[in-house]
Amino acid sequence: MAEGSARRCLRLEPAAAREVLGAADTLLFDCDGVLWRGDAAVAGAPAVLSRLQARAKRLCYVTNNSSRTRDAYAEKLRRLGFPPAEPRQVFGSAYCAARYLSRALPPDAAAYVLGSAALSAELRAVGVPHLGPGPAALPGPGPADWSRAPLDPAVRAVLVGFDEHFCYAKLCQALRYLQRGGPDCLLVGTNRDHRLPLEGGATIPGTGCLVKAVEMAAEREAFIIGKPSRYIFDCVASEFKIEPARTIMVGDRLDTDILMGNNCGLTTLLTLTGVTTLEEVKGHQESDCPSRKSLVPDYYVDSIADLLPALED
Ligand SMILES: [Mg+2]
């Protein structure tokens, strides 16, 4: 909404919320930190989404998490009491990465995948042959053995997502595929999130660390699927008729959710139930640096439950 140096983040009070929601026909929700934290729904969030749906708003779920399938997200929404969602309303970086490769790879080409069982399931669902998920061991005792491990002749892409079995053997193979294929071998990352917040305040390294390791070895940059890349928004826009000016992106993270929304011309709404504090927003707002200004949302709420009064008849 607001532009450049004029961008200011306003608390979305009920009167303004009525107007902002009235002008929107689609809402895109980040999930973790917005709709739920870990395995518990944010109090009041299911009621807000039910009322939005009752007002014929289109609801989509846009998440960088590559360790769940569309079906698993639809099931989690149901389990936590949100209105029923079809898998096609869910845009996770695993599904969107699979969609990207199904279009970008030549017929019969395969992908070498550092990723989870969910990423593998999404690739299977769109018919992309692949290998790599699961544990891997070095093929021998010394570096000479590692550099001679067999390579699949069909591999024309390396895809990096969240991989709990990430290891040196996989990093070696990823580099060797990229060196063999040169620029014709695609390098794709599901997202660059640097950390994953866990319930109770702990954090673990995020997928961005794994993408960076492969980029560093290969001395090239990956094409990124997830927020803030606009590719994930383009996936939504290709499946539904989306008018950016009538679409709200709701997220808890400035450098992914809000930046993507701002870059794609959406109205952006920050919720403080996740990883961001209002102090961080104010720091960016007061900065003269254009790249920091682009992290400032149009509006914020303490929780999306604050939208309830604006949705009462
Ligand atoms: Mg989040």
Side-chain angles (χ1 to χ4, degrees):
M1 254 194 172
E3 286 292 328
S5 59
R7 191 179 281 283
R8 288 194 64 78
C9 179
L10 303 172
R11 180 188 281 275
L12 194 55
E13 305 285 0
R18 233 169 252 124
E19 206 173 302
V20 169
L21 294 173
D25 52 30
T26 303
L27 290 97
L28 311 182
F29 288 96
D30 173 52
C31 298
D32 203 37
V34 176
L35 304 179
W36 57 67
R37 278 174 299 213
D39 221 25
V42 167
V48 166
L49 267 65
S50 296
R51 288 187 192 192
L52 287 166
Q53 188 155 290
R55 291 182 179 218
K57 305 296 181 188
R58 181 190 292 121
L59 309 180
C60 292
Y61 306 92
V62 182
T63 171
N64 276 3
N65 188 328
S66 68
S67 60
R68 279 176 196 264
T69 60
R70 293 182 121 180
D71 289 333
Y73 267 98
E75 163 58 21
K76 181 165 183 177
L77 286 160
R78 189 201 57 74
R79 185 162 46 83
L80 296 186
F82 288 93
E86 289 177 44
R88 67 188 289 263
Q89 289 169 265
V90 179
F91 295 84
S93 66
Y95 163 73
C96 294
R99 182 184 181 278
Y100 177 80
L101 286 182
S102 72
R103 288 162 163 76
L105 276 176
D108 301 324
Y112 180 66
V113 178
L114 288 77
S116 62
L119 189 50
S120 182
E122 295 291 24
L123 288 162
R124 234 180 355 260
V126 296
V128 173
H130 59 282
L131 67 156
L138 286 165
D145 305 305
W146 311 342
S147 67
R148 285 195 297 260
L151 294 179
D152 185 316
V155 167
R156 299 281 296 275
V158 170
L159 169 60
V160 188
F162 183 78
D163 186 355
E164 68 271 40
H165 299 294
F166 182 85
C167 61
Y168 192 78
K170 290 187 177 188
L171 185 55
C172 247
Q173 287 299 81
L175 172 60
R176 294 180 63 229
Y177 280 120
L178 290 163
Q179 281 179 324
R180 186 191 66 180
D184 291 339
C185 185
L186 304 171
L187 173 55
V188 180
T190 57
N191 65 82
R192 286 197 191 280
D193 292 21
H194 62 302
R195 285 184 200 159
L196 286 181
L198 304 180
E199 249 175 309
T203 53
I204 54 172
T207 304
C209 307
L210 313 186
V211 173
K212 200 80 183 170
V214 177
E215 289 181 324
M216 183 88 166
E219 292 185 283
R220 57 182 275 199
E221 249 188 48
F223 176 77
I224 300 296
I225 299 293
K227 300 167 284 187
S229 164
R230 69 170 302 134
Y231 182 76
I232 199 162
F233 173 71
D234 291 342
C235 288
V236 184
S238 72
E239 290 195 35
F240 296 103
K241 197 177 159 345
I242 301 279
E243 263 187 72
R246 296 182 59 79
T247 301
I248 304 175
M249 175 71 216
V250 189
D252 70 314
R253 216 178 160 122
L254 301 178
D255 62 354
T256 53
D257 307 320
I258 301 305
L259 181 58
M260 184 205 76
N262 287 343
N263 285 346
C264 295
L266 317 181
T267 298
T268 48
L269 173 59
L270 174 74
T271 167
L272 300 176
T273 45
V275 298
T276 303
T277 63
L278 202 52
E279 285 61 43
E280 288 170 61
V281 176
K282 285 181 178 153
H284 294 311
Q285 194 166 269
E286 284 154 19
S287 159
D288 291 327
C289 170
S291 66
R292 289 187 67 186
K293 289 275 186 204
S294 62
L295 299 172
V296 178
D298 296 309
Y299 302 102
Y300 77 93
V301 284
D302 290 329
S303 157
I304 61 165
D306 296 357
L307 300 176
L308 262 182
L311 294 165
E312 275 158 7
D313 293 321

